[in-house]
Amino acid sequence: MSSKGKILVVDDDRLVLATLTHGLSAAGYAVVDADNGDDAILEARTRRPDLALLDIRMEGKSGFDVAAYLREHGSVPFMFLSAFSDAATVAQVRALGALDHLIKPVDMRQILPAVEAAFKRIRGGVEPVAEVGAPRPRDPLSDPVAIAVGVVMHRHSLPRAVALERLRRLATHHGRSLEAECEQLLAAVELLSAPAAP
């Protein structure tokens, strides 16, 4: 019977590694394991996994180091399994483009559905996302106040705080909310920058 996919599992805790290897194998995946970052990179080169499940903090090369290698050289999608979920860790997880970020302790009832979802995304060609439940990046064009502050800064050579205060005063003078004032300003700027009709 063919496997559901090949997974590289990396963790320096032997008990966690054994638990993951057993659980994923029992679920029908071919598992390649490593208990350090150097071995993980070697296994990735030689065994060509479809997905990597990486512990973050290990002696020597960290899971982040392995992930960076997989992204740059092997194009292997990866997800993290870690006891850490502080802001700096989450920011780095997102920056590296992980498919998921699962929090220890290990629970196969959580891991198996996450692995299945990762394989669906991989095979469906869907862009990587950060950990489940992570806020989506905001549309940079969705904040009229920030854009209007930039326009005023540029037009009048003002620092951010002064530009924002000027917009607040204009909004008060015109009896509008700050957001409405900024939308009005941006509409005027776009109108002026539109190409002239032939």
Side-chain angles (χ1 to χ4, degrees):
M1 184 177 114
S2 62
S3 74
K4 292 158 73 174
K6 188 186 296 180
I7 304 176
L8 170 63
V9 179
V10 187
D11 201 301
D12 61 356
D13 183 322
R14 292 301 187 108
L15 180 58
V16 171
L17 194 60
T19 302
L20 290 169
T21 299
H22 174 75
L24 291 167
S25 297
Y29 295 97
V31 179
V32 179
D33 63 21
D35 63 5
N36 63 78
D38 287 310
D39 285 353
I41 289 172
L42 183 62
E43 293 287 5
R45 279 183 190 152
T46 57
R47 306 290 289 279
R48 305 277 184 187
D50 303 305
L51 173 70
L53 181 55
L54 309 171
D55 184 23
I56 291 178
R57 299 198 185 175
M58 300 181 287
E59 288 294 319
K61 282 188 171 61
S62 70
F64 289 148
D65 295 327
V66 176
Y69 174 86
L70 295 177
R71 191 177 68 172
E72 295 297 321
H73 301 285
S75 300
V76 176
F78 51 86
M79 48 201 294
F80 291 111
L81 177 64
S82 171
F84 300 93
S85 57
D86 56 280
T89 299
V90 170
Q92 197 158 359
V93 165
R94 290 178 186 163
L96 283 164
L99 287 170
D100 212 334
H101 178 204
L102 306 175
I103 307 303
K104 290 179 178 178
V106 172
D107 183 346
M108 294 309 299
R109 290 171 300 180
Q110 174 200 17
I111 290 167
L112 287 173
V115 166
E116 286 170 11
F119 269 103
K120 279 182 186 171
R121 289 201 291 271
I122 293 164
R123 286 165 182 160
V126 179
E127 284 294 311
V129 297
E131 77 281 2
V132 171
R136 301 286 182 192
R138 289 191 63 189
D139 176 0
L141 299 179
S142 69
D143 190 346
V145 176
I147 299 169
V149 166
V151 169
V152 173
M153 285 172 67
H154 177 70
R155 287 277 173 93
H156 303 285
S157 300
L158 297 173
R160 274 182 288 189
V162 177
L164 178 59
E165 186 53 37
R166 180 174 288 197
L167 286 166
R168 284 196 175 118
R169 284 202 306 270
L170 280 170
T172 302
H173 177 73
H174 293 134
R176 288 193 281 255
S177 70
L178 177 61
E179 287 76 15
E181 182 68 26
C182 292
E183 288 282 10
Q184 191 83 5
L185 171 67
L186 295 177
V189 169
E190 288 180 339
L191 183 64
L192 289 170
S193 63

